Amino acid sequence: MKSTLIIGGDPLSDKVIERLNRRYQTPYYWNIYGASKINSEEYEAEMINGENAKICEDYISRSPEIIFTIPLKIFNEKRGETLETLNRVMESIGGGMVNFTIAVYQHTPKSGEEIERLSNILKNCKTKMWKIIYFGEVYGERVNVGVVFEVLEKLKEDCMNIKIPLHPEEKRNYIYVDDAARAVLSRNIGVGGGAIYLVKDVTINNKTLLKRITELIGVNGLCKINFDEKAEKADPPNLPQPKEFKTKINIIDGLNRTIGWFEGEYGPIQVLKNNNCKF
């Protein structure tokens, strides 16, 4: 049985591999960003050495389905590498009947332009079996990057009885990776002729977001966190929602999983008792 080729190196590609393993499939995995932490004990995937063009072409020719996961933040940082890889894949596909999916996430002020750039590459290739799925995220008012991280960082700085281990370079927003992986692998979202979809666009104001996070980590009350009011708010691209796909993760569960992700990566959040926070 031919397997799916996953190209990426991010939490979404990890989740897609996990779901494929549950279907008793072993995907090929081409990690071009190096940010992924695949645990071989949990996820089984055949790793590809991306330096050898001939090897990559061979894997591409074996795969009736290719999934390319691209966080726009990393795309902007490694634009040349990403576009070079995408063009190599397109050239290797040729006129083959390959279902090609690009999964894009993370809002930026130029999200629409970046998605249009990616769609133009696909429109110019010979294969017509493609789709782009863009995933919305949780955002606060006037915040365009790292809102969940920023809340945790402020709590760490301003509340002496909260111990929050954070990596200084982490700028994570929350993407509903479970819903995103389901959408990427869904057979209900068509690919004929090429299409672009928006899945799961959720906006939450800062006050509500802060209240939910402090409740989740066991801190009562609202912290007085001042977000940058001059920050440019990134509006989602005007794209159709796929009617055939329904999301399952609500905002509370989503934030709960995000906090759990931080603790899994950097260690537990500790709240010391009998020491009131000064908000």
Side-chain angles (χ1 to χ4, degrees):
M1 179 177 64
K2 291 188 176 182
S3 188
T4 302
L5 171 60
I6 310 297
I7 305 172
D10 61 285
L12 179 53
S13 58
D14 293 3
K15 183 62 68 172
V16 170
I17 289 172
E18 179 184 342
R19 296 188 73 88
L20 286 170
N21 287 167
R22 290 177 185 173
R23 297 181 183 182
Y24 303 102
Q25 297 182 34
T26 302
Y28 308 129
Y29 185 47
W30 185 3
N31 185 339
I32 68 168
Y33 296 125
S36 178
K37 298 178 180 178
I38 290 290
N39 185 336
S40 59
E41 295 180 358
E42 297 180 13
Y43 312 133
E44 184 179 355
E46 185 173 341
M47 307 298 288
I48 299 173
N49 182 354
E51 300 300 323
N52 190 317
K54 181 62 179 175
I55 291 177
C56 296
E57 291 172 6
D58 183 44
Y59 276 96
I60 291 168
S61 66
R62 290 192 240 163
S63 304
E65 181 174 36
I66 297 176
I67 296 170
F68 200 156
T69 63
I70 304 177
L72 282 181
K73 178 177 181 293
I74 297 180
F75 173 68
N76 289 326
E77 292 174 354
K78 300 184 177 181
R79 179 186 301 271
E81 182 179 352
T82 302
L83 293 178
E84 179 183 355
T85 301
L86 184 56
N87 282 315
R88 283 173 63 184
V89 171
M90 292 294 98
E91 291 175 0
S92 300
I93 288 175
M97 295 297 291
V98 175
N99 291 331
F100 191 95
T101 300
I102 294 185
V104 185
Y105 62 93
Q106 288 182 337
H107 283 296
T108 71
K110 296 184 178 181
S111 293
E113 295 178 17
E114 304 296 4
I115 293 172
E116 184 65 26
R117 180 189 296 268
L118 293 171
S119 68
N120 286 336
I121 293 175
L122 295 175
K123 290 173 183 176
N124 292 330
C125 74
K126 295 179 181 179
T127 184
K128 301 301 179 185
M129 305 290 289
W130 63 268
K131 65 177 177 285
I132 295 176
I133 303 180
Y134 180 79
F135 299 98
E137 299 180 83
V138 176
Y139 275 86
E141 297 165 348
R142 298 183 181 277
V143 177
N144 67 344
V145 291
V147 61
V148 175
F149 171 83
E150 186 171 348
V151 170
L152 293 178
E153 188 176 45
K154 288 290 186 180
L155 285 173
K156 180 180 179 179
E157 293 174 355
D158 298 344
C159 189
M160 298 302 295
N161 74 331
I162 302 179
K163 303 298 182 182
I164 304 179
L166 290 174
H167 191 282
E169 295 182 359
E170 177 63 61
K171 300 294 182 183
R172 174 172 297 258
N173 284 316
Y174 184 66
I175 176 172
Y176 295 82
V177 290
D178 294 277
D179 277 338
R182 285 180 53 245
V184 166
L185 296 173
S186 174
R187 294 295 181 267
N188 295 324
I189 302 178
V191 295
I196 308 175
Y197 300 99
L198 170 67
V199 175
K200 195 74 172 182
D201 178 44
V202 177
T203 300
I204 181 171
N205 64 53
N206 287 339
K207 184 177 180 180
T208 303
L209 175 67
L210 183 58
K211 183 174 185 295
R212 296 304 186 199
I213 290 178
T214 54
E215 287 175 348
L216 287 170
I217 64 176
V219 179
N220 297 322
L222 299 177
C223 293
K224 295 179 180 179
I225 295 178
N226 296 317
F227 291 93
D228 184 3
E229 296 185 357
K230 296 181 180 180
E232 184 176 0
K233 182 177 173 61
D235 295 321
N238 184 20
L239 299 171
Q241 293 264 1
K243 297 180 181 179
E244 305 86 351
F245 180 81
K246 302 297 180 183
T247 56
K248 293 183 177 180
I249 310 300
N250 61 41
I251 183 70
I252 302 304
D253 289 342
L255 286 174
N256 197 10
R257 295 182 189 195
T258 304
I259 300 301
W261 182 90
F262 271 105
E263 291 191 305
E265 288 288 301
Y266 306 122
I269 296 173
Q270 300 178 7
V271 181
L272 307 179
K273 296 181 179 180
N274 302 321
N275 184 8
N276 295 327
C277 291
K278 297 180 181 180
F279 296 120

